[in-house]
Amino acid sequence: MPSGAHDADVILREVGGRENVTLLTHCFVRLRFRLRDPAAADIDALRAHPLVAFTAWQMDELHVAPRRDLFRLFAALQDALGDTAVP
């Protein structure tokens, strides 16, 4: 499994699965998810993940701030999502 792929798989599961993500973007410190069903996300599990520094809802986006490797994690999430959530 490529570097970051395991963490990406866990985070995808905790945001409600691949099919729940409608858009994935990022800024300098956060992953930004738009979700079909925000209630499907397990926020407590995300917060408990050792890679996650914090989570926050801003408007209609779930922001997840990893402690390290934002761009590696974003790339692994893009690979896992394919074209389904790319702007």
Side-chain angles (χ1 to χ4, degrees), residues 4 7 10 16 30 32 38 41 43 45 47-48 51-52 56 59 62 67-68 72-73 76 79 87:
D7 290 324
V10 171
R30 298 178 186 180
R32 297 172 182 224
I43 303 302
R47 289 180 177 150
L51 183 61
V52 175
M59 304 279 289
L62 173 60
R67 296 182 190 281
R68 63 185 183 286
R72 176 188 57 82
L73 187 56
D79 287 346

Side-chain angles (χ1 to χ4, degrees), residues 12-67:
L12 275 179
R13 183 178 65 241
E14 292 167 355
V15 298
R18 180 179 187 266
E19 60 284 345
N20 198 36
V21 179
T22 62
L23 182 67
L24 172 67
T25 59
H26 69 83
C27 63
F28 191 67
V29 296
R30 298 178 186 180
L31 299 165
R32 297 172 182 224
F33 293 89
R34 287 215 182 137
L35 305 176
R36 279 185 177 76
D37 179 9
D42 187 344
I43 303 302
D44 291 334
L46 273 170
R47 289 180 177 150
H49 191 286
L51 183 61
V52 175
F54 70 90
T55 65
W57 286 99
Q58 187 167 8
M59 304 279 289
D60 60 347
E61 291 181 336
L62 173 60
H63 292 208
V64 177
R67 296 182 190 281

